[in-house]
Every structure is written in C-alpha cells, then in structure tokens.
Amino acid sequence: MKLAMIGFGQAGGKIVDKFLEYDQRTGSEIVRSAVAVNSAKADLMGLDKVPQDNRVLIGQSRVKGHGVGADNELGAEIAEEDIDEIQGAIDNIPVHEVDAFLIVAGMGGGTGSGGAPVLAKHLKRIYTEPVYGLGILPGGDEGGIYTLNAARSFQTFVREVDNLMVFDNDAWRQSGESIESGYAEINEEIVRRFGILFGAGEVGGNDEVAESVVDSSEIINTLAGGGVSTIGYAAEEVETEDSSSGLLSRFTGGDEDTQTDTANTTNRITSLVRKAALGRLTLPCEIEGTERALLVLSGPPRHLNRKGIERGRKWLEEQTGSMEVRGGDYPVSDSQYVASVVLLSGVNNVPRIKELQEIAIEAQENIDEIQEESEENLEELVEDDDDELEPLF
C-alpha cells in the first residue's frame, strides 16, 4: 500500500522519520511521499529522513518558530491560517500514485493535537483518496493538560478522518524507563506493526507472490466505515534452511513427514493469530464487537500456508463476532521471523478512551475553577479601597 505520510507536530514528525528509515531498511516502499509540519523550528531541524523541501514551518507570525506550548487551540488556529503553506508541500506529492493519506500526530501536545484534525478536514475536501489518522495518546504521567488535549483532539480527529488508528503510550511505557529511550522503543513498535500491515500485497524484488493476496483494497475496505482501530502483533523466530534442530524444526515439524509439517505450521499460525489478537494491542480493548478485522501473516513462504490463515481468520470471526474478517499472507523470503498482524477496525469497548474523557472533563472543571479563583485573587490584590489611585486607562 502506497501512502502519503504527513507528520504533524513533534511526535508525528519523528514517527514519519522512523517510517522512512524502516522503508530503507526493509525495501518495503510504503511511504511514497513524506511531509513534516511543525510550529517549532528545532523539531523540524531534528529530523533525519524527511526531505528538507517537505518540512513546513507554520505559525511564524504568531509563535516565531518556538512552538505553541501545548496549546492545541492555538495549534488548530495556526493550521487553519497556514493551510496554504501545508498544501504547497502536499502539491509535490504524486497523489495519483498513492492509495491513501496518513496523518500522524501526538494527541497530547499542541501543534499536532490541534493541527492534525484541521489538515484531515482540508484533505478530505480536496482529494478522493482515503484520509487516515494515526493518533498517539499521551501517558497518564504526562500531566492533566496533555490528557485534556488528547481527549479534545481525539473527539475531533476521529470525526474528520476515514479511520483513526490509535497507539496508547500508557500501555507501552515501562516503569523506570527514561523518556527518550521509552519513546524510541514505542516508535519502533508503531512502525513495525504498521509496516507489516501496509507492506502487505506489495511484490518484492524476489517476486514472491502471496498464496492469499492481501492488497491495498483489502486494507481500505477493512478501514472503511470509520471509527477507531487498533493493531495486534506477534512473531516467532525461525532458523535458516540448513538447520536440522531448534526453532525451525519446532516451527515446521521437520522434513520427515510432510503432513506433520503442514499440521504444525497450521497450528503455529493459529497460535500466532491468537497471540496477536489477545496480546498487547496498540490501543487495549475488548475485541468482541469489533466491526471489521484484517489478518496478515508475514514470513518465509515455506512457513506460511493457506489452511493456517483460514483457521486463524475463522477464529477471529468467532472472537469478534464480525462477519467482515479478511486475511492473507505477505511472503518475505529472507525474513528470520513469522509474524502475525491483526487489524481490528471499528472497536467499541475501549476503557482507556472512556477513562481519558472522564479525566479530561475533571481537568476542564479544575482549570475553570482555577481561572475563576485567579481572577478573584487578582481583584483582591489590586483592590483600591480608598479610591486614591486611578488606573492609566
């Protein structure tokens, strides 16, 4: 699947940069074109892979390249005002060669949180290609203002895109981990999952053809209908062809009996599908009630079979209750892993989103109270009991 990726804000820019690195490393060519948009000049300068001509600094007249300071209302205003500058960079994208737009943004800050929904609305008005969002939720320890920003951004972003894929930092940050190393690992997880998903259906240089083809239309149909999506991932290492023992023989069942070989491969695939769906999702949720799902198995062709994928797909149908579960494989000859990626689209039972909104409402009430109290305190401080002083104006 060919994507035009737009990283909005600091987190968005870093993740798009990571996608470009993944593309170069794996030769997957998912990112047909990449743009980074920010109100902070330093963040744009810190990128490695996004071309210089595709880095757009917005809001210069208002924030002088210093960012919006977690004010996502200002982020939205600046995006509205400078939408023509963003469009100028998007005009360089060969849109006839892309299957969809993907806007990537952290939802707790200011620029991406406020600007990404504005850009989504703009793109949907102009182009016929689907516009997807990849929103990153802040960790609970990042503070009330970031939670409030994320809740408001989420509500807006999900309405403006064709589908909002969500990654929840709270579910992935490990205790005791430094912020820098924590986010680097999180970005790697994001790119790995979405890389396999969007890479499916592309024929590599070795012309490996999938048994059950998953192409861009399957992904688009799974994401159609809007709502929120989450992704699960599970992988198992396999050894090289000439190994006679260890993981390879455990995975394939060895070469002695083809039927045993096939049965073991089928069972292993089914197990990986379960691990992906029931393990750590990008946005933790109950999978029952999912509207649509897509299963992609990736790895060396000899470790993939149609029967395993079909069994995994049926298991997903039973677990989700969805009648729209698609599945297929993505052969990668030189891979040392067999990986299962499960896309769950239109998820409904998401405790984290409900919790986020409750905390945000409470934070909003606290902010209003503090503002009111602050105004009263100021009045008391400058109170002029004797009317001896007159203000300048």
mmCIF file of all heavy atoms in Angstrom, residues 151-190:
data_model
loop_
_atom_site.group_PDB
_atom_site.id
_atom_site.type_symbol
_atom_site.label_atom_id
_atom_site.label_comp_id
_atom_site.label_asym_id
_atom_site.label_seq_id
_atom_site.Cartn_x
_atom_site.Cartn_y
_atom_site.Cartn_z
ATOM 1 N N ALA A 151 -8.006 14.197 24.857
ATOM 2 C CA ALA A 151 -9.444 13.905 24.815
ATOM 3 C C ALA A 151 -10.150 14.797 23.783
ATOM 4 O O ALA A 151 -10.979 14.324 23.000
ATOM 5 C CB ALA A 151 -10.058 14.113 26.196
ATOM 6 N N ARG A 152 -9.808 16.081 23.782
ATOM 7 C CA ARG A 152 -10.447 17.013 22.826
ATOM 8 C C ARG A 152 -10.001 16.726 21.397
ATOM 9 O O ARG A 152 -10.803 16.753 20.470
ATOM 10 C CB ARG A 152 -10.098 18.450 23.205
ATOM 11 C CG ARG A 152 -10.706 18.881 24.545
ATOM 12 C CD ARG A 152 -10.367 20.325 24.856
ATOM 13 N NE ARG A 152 -11.103 21.222 24.003
ATOM 14 C CZ ARG A 152 -10.810 22.534 23.880
ATOM 15 N NH1 ARG A 152 -9.800 23.040 24.556
ATOM 16 N NH2 ARG A 152 -11.517 23.297 23.099
ATOM 17 N N SER A 153 -8.694 16.434 21.229
ATOM 18 C CA SER A 153 -8.167 16.135 19.900
ATOM 19 C C SER A 153 -8.781 14.844 19.357
ATOM 20 O O SER A 153 -9.176 14.783 18.193
ATOM 21 C CB SER A 153 -6.644 16.007 19.955
ATOM 22 O OG SER A 153 -6.126 15.690 18.679
ATOM 23 N N PHE A 154 -8.868 13.832 20.217
ATOM 24 C CA PHE A 154 -9.435 12.542 19.809
ATOM 25 C C PHE A 154 -10.860 12.727 19.277
ATOM 26 O O PHE A 154 -11.201 12.243 18.203
ATOM 27 C CB PHE A 154 -9.437 11.567 20.996
ATOM 28 C CG PHE A 154 -10.163 10.283 20.714
ATOM 29 C CD1 PHE A 154 -9.517 9.233 20.081
ATOM 30 C CD2 PHE A 154 -11.502 10.135 21.062
ATOM 31 C CE1 PHE A 154 -10.200 8.046 19.807
ATOM 32 C CE2 PHE A 154 -12.181 8.962 20.787
ATOM 33 C CZ PHE A 154 -11.527 7.912 20.164
ATOM 34 N N GLN A 155 -11.677 13.438 20.045
ATOM 35 C CA GLN A 155 -13.079 13.654 19.654
ATOM 36 C C GLN A 155 -13.181 14.317 18.280
ATOM 37 O O GLN A 155 -14.073 14.013 17.498
ATOM 38 C CB GLN A 155 -13.779 14.548 20.681
ATOM 39 C CG GLN A 155 -14.305 13.786 21.879
ATOM 40 C CD GLN A 155 -15.217 14.649 22.738
ATOM 41 O OE1 GLN A 155 -15.043 15.871 22.802
ATOM 42 N NE2 GLN A 155 -16.162 14.037 23.403
ATOM 43 N N THR A 156 -12.266 15.246 18.016
ATOM 44 C CA THR A 156 -12.306 15.985 16.748
ATOM 45 C C THR A 156 -11.696 15.172 15.607
ATOM 46 O O THR A 156 -12.271 15.054 14.528
ATOM 47 C CB THR A 156 -11.538 17.317 16.900
ATOM 48 O OG1 THR A 156 -11.900 17.924 18.136
ATOM 49 C CG2 THR A 156 -11.855 18.272 15.762
ATOM 50 N N PHE A 157 -10.516 14.607 15.867
ATOM 51 C CA PHE A 157 -9.756 13.873 14.844
ATOM 52 C C PHE A 157 -10.557 12.696 14.294
ATOM 53 O O PHE A 157 -10.616 12.473 13.090
ATOM 54 C CB PHE A 157 -8.449 13.398 15.477
ATOM 55 C CG PHE A 157 -7.313 13.161 14.519
ATOM 56 C CD1 PHE A 157 -7.369 13.554 13.187
ATOM 57 C CD2 PHE A 157 -6.145 12.532 14.964
ATOM 58 C CE1 PHE A 157 -6.298 13.336 12.325
ATOM 59 C CE2 PHE A 157 -5.070 12.309 14.108
ATOM 60 C CZ PHE A 157 -5.158 12.706 12.788
ATOM 61 N N VAL A 158 -11.199 11.929 15.192
ATOM 62 C CA VAL A 158 -11.913 10.724 14.777
ATOM 63 C C VAL A 158 -13.087 11.059 13.851
ATOM 64 O O VAL A 158 -13.473 10.250 12.998
ATOM 65 C CB VAL A 158 -12.382 9.908 16.008
ATOM 66 C CG1 VAL A 158 -13.593 10.533 16.693
ATOM 67 C CG2 VAL A 158 -12.678 8.459 15.632
ATOM 68 N N ARG A 159 -13.628 12.259 13.981
ATOM 69 C CA ARG A 159 -14.742 12.673 13.105
ATOM 70 C C ARG A 159 -14.256 13.133 11.731
ATOM 71 O O ARG A 159 -15.012 13.102 10.764
ATOM 72 C CB ARG A 159 -15.527 13.828 13.756
ATOM 73 C CG ARG A 159 -16.433 13.403 14.895
ATOM 74 C CD ARG A 159 -17.510 14.452 15.156
ATOM 75 N NE ARG A 159 -16.943 15.778 15.376
ATOM 76 C CZ ARG A 159 -16.697 16.304 16.577
ATOM 77 N NH1 ARG A 159 -16.987 15.616 17.658
ATOM 78 N NH2 ARG A 159 -16.199 17.511 16.696
ATOM 79 N N GLU A 160 -13.015 13.606 11.664
ATOM 80 C CA GLU A 160 -12.514 14.199 10.420
ATOM 81 C C GLU A 160 -11.796 13.210 9.502
ATOM 82 O O GLU A 160 -11.583 13.495 8.329
ATOM 83 C CB GLU A 160 -11.572 15.379 10.727
ATOM 84 C CG GLU A 160 -12.220 16.524 11.501
ATOM 85 C CD GLU A 160 -13.396 17.179 10.764
ATOM 86 O OE1 GLU A 160 -13.522 16.974 9.536
ATOM 87 O OE2 GLU A 160 -14.190 17.871 11.417
ATOM 88 N N VAL A 161 -11.380 12.045 10.029
ATOM 89 C CA VAL A 161 -10.659 11.079 9.197
ATOM 90 C C VAL A 161 -11.569 9.915 8.797
ATOM 91 O O VAL A 161 -12.630 9.715 9.391
ATOM 92 C CB VAL A 161 -9.408 10.523 9.933
ATOM 93 C CG1 VAL A 161 -8.352 11.588 10.085
ATOM 94 C CG2 VAL A 161 -9.771 9.920 11.289
ATOM 95 N N ASP A 162 -11.125 9.147 7.806
ATOM 96 C CA ASP A 162 -11.889 7.963 7.394
ATOM 97 C C ASP A 162 -11.734 6.833 8.404
ATOM 98 O O ASP A 162 -12.572 5.945 8.483
ATOM 99 C CB ASP A 162 -11.440 7.507 6.004
ATOM 100 C CG ASP A 162 -11.895 8.488 4.925
ATOM 101 O OD1 ASP A 162 -13.122 8.627 4.752
ATOM 102 O OD2 ASP A 162 -11.042 9.138 4.308
ATOM 103 N N ASN A 163 -10.626 6.854 9.144
ATOM 104 C CA ASN A 163 -10.428 5.902 10.235
ATOM 105 C C ASN A 163 -9.281 6.426 11.087
ATOM 106 O O ASN A 163 -8.303 6.947 10.553
ATOM 107 C CB ASN A 163 -10.090 4.507 9.696
ATOM 108 C CG ASN A 163 -10.301 3.421 10.737
ATOM 109 O OD1 ASN A 163 -9.597 3.358 11.738
ATOM 110 N ND2 ASN A 163 -11.274 2.548 10.488
ATOM 111 N N LEU A 164 -9.407 6.276 12.405
ATOM 112 C CA LEU A 164 -8.357 6.725 13.306
ATOM 113 C C LEU A 164 -7.712 5.514 13.977
ATOM 114 O O LEU A 164 -8.345 4.831 14.780
ATOM 115 C CB LEU A 164 -8.906 7.681 14.376
ATOM 116 C CG LEU A 164 -7.872 8.226 15.382
ATOM 117 C CD1 LEU A 164 -6.759 8.988 14.673
ATOM 118 C CD2 LEU A 164 -8.551 9.124 16.421
ATOM 119 N N MET A 165 -6.466 5.262 13.605
ATOM 120 C CA MET A 165 -5.694 4.206 14.252
ATOM 121 C C MET A 165 -5.004 4.816 15.472
ATOM 122 O O MET A 165 -4.445 5.905 15.375
ATOM 123 C CB MET A 165 -4.670 3.634 13.269
ATOM 124 C CG MET A 165 -5.337 2.891 12.125
ATOM 125 S SD MET A 165 -4.273 2.604 10.710
ATOM 126 C CE MET A 165 -4.708 3.978 9.672
ATOM 127 N N VAL A 166 -5.076 4.133 16.602
ATOM 128 C CA VAL A 166 -4.601 4.739 17.853
ATOM 129 C C VAL A 166 -3.504 3.898 18.496
ATOM 130 O O VAL A 166 -3.576 2.669 18.508
ATOM 131 C CB VAL A 166 -5.771 4.928 18.852
ATOM 132 C CG1 VAL A 166 -5.281 5.574 20.144
ATOM 133 C CG2 VAL A 166 -6.876 5.785 18.226
ATOM 134 N N PHE A 167 -2.501 4.599 19.017
ATOM 135 C CA PHE A 167 -1.441 3.961 19.799
ATOM 136 C C PHE A 167 -1.415 4.638 21.159
ATOM 137 O O PHE A 167 -1.296 5.862 21.249
ATOM 138 C CB PHE A 167 -0.081 4.113 19.104
ATOM 139 C CG PHE A 167 0.990 3.228 19.691
ATOM 140 C CD1 PHE A 167 1.324 2.029 19.099
ATOM 141 C CD2 PHE A 167 1.657 3.595 20.850
ATOM 142 C CE1 PHE A 167 2.296 1.192 19.635
ATOM 143 C CE2 PHE A 167 2.627 2.781 21.406
ATOM 144 C CZ PHE A 167 2.958 1.579 20.796
ATOM 145 N N ASP A 168 -1.546 3.836 22.216
ATOM 146 C CA ASP A 168 -1.640 4.372 23.573
ATOM 147 C C ASP A 168 -0.302 4.237 24.306
ATOM 148 O O ASP A 168 0.093 3.140 24.689
ATOM 149 C CB ASP A 168 -2.742 3.621 24.336
ATOM 150 C CG ASP A 168 -2.905 4.112 25.763
ATOM 151 O OD1 ASP A 168 -2.410 5.215 26.075
ATOM 152 O OD2 ASP A 168 -3.535 3.400 26.564
ATOM 153 N N ASN A 169 0.399 5.359 24.471
ATOM 154 C CA ASN A 169 1.695 5.324 25.167
ATOM 155 C C ASN A 169 1.585 4.721 26.566
ATOM 156 O O ASN A 169 2.513 4.089 27.059
ATOM 157 C CB ASN A 169 2.269 6.741 25.294
ATOM 158 C CG ASN A 169 2.984 7.177 24.015
ATOM 159 O OD1 ASN A 169 3.245 6.363 23.139
ATOM 160 N ND2 ASN A 169 3.283 8.446 23.921
ATOM 161 N N ASP A 170 0.438 4.925 27.207
ATOM 162 C CA ASP A 170 0.246 4.459 28.583
ATOM 163 C C ASP A 170 0.394 2.943 28.693
ATOM 164 O O ASP A 170 0.850 2.421 29.706
ATOM 165 C CB ASP A 170 -1.148 4.872 29.083
ATOM 166 C CG ASP A 170 -1.114 5.326 30.531
ATOM 167 O OD1 ASP A 170 -0.089 5.878 30.954
ATOM 168 O OD2 ASP A 170 -2.110 5.129 31.241
ATOM 169 N N ALA A 171 -0.007 2.254 27.635
ATOM 170 C CA ALA A 171 0.044 0.788 27.651
ATOM 171 C C ALA A 171 1.434 0.258 27.308
ATOM 172 O O ALA A 171 1.699 -0.932 27.452
ATOM 173 C CB ALA A 171 -0.970 0.232 26.649
ATOM 174 N N TRP A 172 2.320 1.159 26.872
ATOM 175 C CA TRP A 172 3.609 0.700 26.350
ATOM 176 C C TRP A 172 4.826 1.208 27.111
ATOM 177 O O TRP A 172 5.882 0.603 27.054
ATOM 178 C CB TRP A 172 3.724 1.083 24.874
ATOM 179 C CG TRP A 172 2.806 0.252 24.060
ATOM 180 C CD1 TRP A 172 1.468 0.465 23.850
ATOM 181 C CD2 TRP A 172 3.106 -0.970 23.397
ATOM 182 N NE1 TRP A 172 0.925 -0.537 23.092
ATOM 183 C CE2 TRP A 172 1.918 -1.433 22.794
ATOM 184 C CE3 TRP A 172 4.271 -1.720 23.246
ATOM 185 C CZ2 TRP A 172 1.863 -2.598 22.064
ATOM 186 C CZ3 TRP A 172 4.228 -2.885 22.501
ATOM 187 C CH2 TRP A 172 3.020 -3.315 21.921
ATOM 188 N N ARG A 173 4.680 2.340 27.796
ATOM 189 C CA ARG A 173 5.822 2.856 28.573
ATOM 190 C C ARG A 173 6.096 1.932 29.751
ATOM 191 O O ARG A 173 5.189 1.557 30.477
ATOM 192 C CB ARG A 173 5.510 4.259 29.117
ATOM 193 C CG ARG A 173 5.728 5.400 28.168
ATOM 194 C CD ARG A 173 7.158 5.879 28.097
ATOM 195 N NE ARG A 173 7.672 6.322 29.376
ATOM 196 C CZ ARG A 173 7.424 7.508 29.906
ATOM 197 N NH1 ARG A 173 6.642 8.362 29.286
ATOM 198 N NH2 ARG A 173 7.953 7.830 31.067
ATOM 199 N N GLN A 174 7.353 1.558 29.947
ATOM 200 C CA GLN A 174 7.719 0.685 31.058
ATOM 201 C C GLN A 174 8.224 1.523 32.218
ATOM 202 O O GLN A 174 8.886 2.539 32.019
ATOM 203 C CB GLN A 174 8.805 -0.299 30.608
ATOM 204 C CG GLN A 174 8.274 -1.304 29.593
ATOM 205 C CD GLN A 174 9.376 -2.156 28.997
ATOM 206 O OE1 GLN A 174 10.488 -2.143 29.465
ATOM 207 N NE2 GLN A 174 9.036 -2.878 27.940
ATOM 208 N N SER A 175 7.891 1.102 33.425
ATOM 209 C CA SER A 175 8.299 1.871 34.595
ATOM 210 C C SER A 175 9.818 1.877 34.724
ATOM 211 O O SER A 175 10.493 0.891 34.433
ATOM 212 C CB SER A 175 7.683 1.280 35.871
ATOM 213 O OG SER A 175 8.097 -0.053 36.025
ATOM 214 N N GLY A 176 10.346 3.023 35.130
ATOM 215 C CA GLY A 176 11.775 3.168 35.307
ATOM 216 C C GLY A 176 12.530 3.480 34.030
ATOM 217 O O GLY A 176 13.728 3.709 34.028
ATOM 218 N N GLU A 177 11.809 3.504 32.897
ATOM 219 C CA GLU A 177 12.439 3.764 31.613
ATOM 220 C C GLU A 177 12.585 5.267 31.412
ATOM 221 O O GLU A 177 11.697 6.034 31.760
ATOM 222 C CB GLU A 177 11.514 3.200 30.527
ATOM 223 C CG GLU A 177 12.204 2.790 29.274
ATOM 224 C CD GLU A 177 11.245 2.015 28.360
ATOM 225 O OE1 GLU A 177 10.027 2.248 28.430
ATOM 226 O OE2 GLU A 177 11.731 1.187 27.605
ATOM 227 N N SER A 178 13.708 5.701 30.839
ATOM 228 C CA SER A 178 13.859 7.126 30.548
ATOM 229 C C SER A 178 12.896 7.502 29.427
ATOM 230 O O SER A 178 12.540 6.662 28.596
ATOM 231 C CB SER A 178 15.291 7.449 30.114
ATOM 232 O OG SER A 178 15.505 7.006 28.789
ATOM 233 N N ILE A 179 12.491 8.762 29.423
ATOM 234 C CA ILE A 179 11.518 9.213 28.413
ATOM 235 C C ILE A 179 12.077 8.997 27.006
ATOM 236 O O ILE A 179 11.392 8.495 26.118
ATOM 237 C CB ILE A 179 11.154 10.697 28.642
ATOM 238 C CG1 ILE A 179 10.300 10.822 29.910
ATOM 239 C CG2 ILE A 179 10.409 11.278 27.452
ATOM 240 C CD1 ILE A 179 9.953 12.227 30.318
ATOM 241 N N GLU A 180 13.351 9.352 26.818
ATOM 242 C CA GLU A 180 13.962 9.273 25.484
ATOM 243 C C GLU A 180 13.992 7.836 24.965
ATOM 244 O O GLU A 180 13.528 7.556 23.865
ATOM 245 C CB GLU A 180 15.388 9.837 25.546
ATOM 246 C CG GLU A 180 16.000 10.116 24.179
ATOM 247 C CD GLU A 180 15.227 11.129 23.353
ATOM 248 O OE1 GLU A 180 14.702 12.103 23.919
ATOM 249 O OE2 GLU A 180 15.133 10.929 22.127
ATOM 250 N N SER A 181 14.507 6.905 25.790
ATOM 251 C CA SER A 181 14.588 5.509 25.337
ATOM 252 C C SER A 181 13.195 4.894 25.242
ATOM 253 O O SER A 181 12.925 4.066 24.373
ATOM 254 C CB SER A 181 15.468 4.684 26.282
ATOM 255 O OG SER A 181 14.832 4.533 27.539
ATOM 256 N N GLY A 182 12.298 5.322 26.141
ATOM 257 C CA GLY A 182 10.919 4.822 26.102
ATOM 258 C C GLY A 182 10.237 5.155 24.792
ATOM 259 O O GLY A 182 9.633 4.284 24.157
ATOM 260 N N TYR A 183 10.337 6.411 24.367
ATOM 261 C CA TYR A 183 9.680 6.822 23.131
ATOM 262 C C TYR A 183 10.348 6.227 21.895
ATOM 263 O O TYR A 183 9.687 5.940 20.905
ATOM 264 C CB TYR A 183 9.608 8.344 23.030
ATOM 265 C CG TYR A 183 8.584 8.933 23.974
ATOM 266 C CD1 TYR A 183 8.791 10.151 24.612
ATOM 267 C CD2 TYR A 183 7.407 8.242 24.257
ATOM 268 C CE1 TYR A 183 7.854 10.669 25.495
ATOM 269 C CE2 TYR A 183 6.467 8.753 25.131
ATOM 270 C CZ TYR A 183 6.697 9.968 25.749
ATOM 271 O OH TYR A 183 5.771 10.468 26.614
ATOM 272 N N ALA A 184 11.663 6.027 21.960
ATOM 273 C CA ALA A 184 12.365 5.416 20.823
ATOM 274 C C ALA A 184 11.841 3.994 20.602
ATOM 275 O O ALA A 184 11.579 3.580 19.469
ATOM 276 C CB ALA A 184 13.869 5.398 21.083
ATOM 277 N N GLU A 185 11.653 3.254 21.704
ATOM 278 C CA GLU A 185 11.136 1.881 21.586
ATOM 279 C C GLU A 185 9.684 1.871 21.130
ATOM 280 O O GLU A 185 9.270 1.031 20.334
ATOM 281 C CB GLU A 185 11.260 1.157 22.931
ATOM 282 C CG GLU A 185 12.685 0.720 23.232
ATOM 283 C CD GLU A 185 12.789 -0.102 24.501
ATOM 284 O OE1 GLU A 185 11.800 -0.767 24.861
ATOM 285 O OE2 GLU A 185 13.863 -0.068 25.126
ATOM 286 N N ILE A 186 8.902 2.817 21.651
ATOM 287 C CA ILE A 186 7.493 2.925 21.260
ATOM 288 C C ILE A 186 7.382 3.197 19.759
ATOM 289 O O ILE A 186 6.591 2.572 19.049
ATOM 290 C CB ILE A 186 6.787 4.034 22.079
ATOM 291 C CG1 ILE A 186 6.447 3.497 23.482
ATOM 292 C CG2 ILE A 186 5.523 4.526 21.377
ATOM 293 C CD1 ILE A 186 5.987 4.555 24.460
ATOM 294 N N ASN A 187 8.196 4.132 19.253
ATOM 295 C CA ASN A 187 8.159 4.465 17.823
ATOM 296 C C ASN A 187 8.531 3.256 16.978
ATOM 297 O O ASN A 187 7.966 3.039 15.901
ATOM 298 C CB ASN A 187 9.080 5.644 17.523
ATOM 299 C CG ASN A 187 8.551 6.948 18.097
ATOM 300 O OD1 ASN A 187 7.416 7.012 18.568
ATOM 301 N ND2 ASN A 187 9.360 7.991 18.079
ATOM 302 N N GLU A 188 9.471 2.450 17.468
ATOM 303 C CA GLU A 188 9.877 1.226 16.759
ATOM 304 C C GLU A 188 8.703 0.240 16.700
ATOM 305 O O GLU A 188 8.449 -0.381 15.669
ATOM 306 C CB GLU A 188 11.067 0.590 17.483
ATOM 307 C CG GLU A 188 11.711 -0.559 16.732
ATOM 308 C CD GLU A 188 12.346 -0.157 15.408
ATOM 309 O OE1 GLU A 188 13.104 0.835 15.373
ATOM 310 O OE2 GLU A 188 12.050 -0.843 14.411
ATOM 311 N N GLU A 189 7.966 0.120 17.806
ATOM 312 C CA GLU A 189 6.796 -0.769 17.854
ATOM 313 C C GLU A 189 5.722 -0.304 16.864
ATOM 314 O O GLU A 189 5.102 -1.110 16.173
ATOM 315 C CB GLU A 189 6.203 -0.805 19.271
ATOM 316 C CG GLU A 189 7.066 -1.512 20.305
ATOM 317 C CD GLU A 189 7.120 -3.018 20.116
ATOM 318 O OE1 GLU A 189 6.353 -3.552 19.290
ATOM 319 O OE2 GLU A 189 7.955 -3.658 20.773
ATOM 320 N N ILE A 190 5.481 0.995 16.845
ATOM 321 C CA ILE A 190 4.473 1.557 15.935
ATOM 322 C C ILE A 190 4.823 1.213 14.493
ATOM 323 O O ILE A 190 4.003 0.695 13.726
ATOM 324 C CB ILE A 190 4.383 3.098 16.105
ATOM 325 C CG1 ILE A 190 3.798 3.467 17.476
ATOM 326 C CG2 ILE A 190 3.543 3.724 14.985
ATOM 327 C CD1 ILE A 190 3.918 4.937 17.826
#
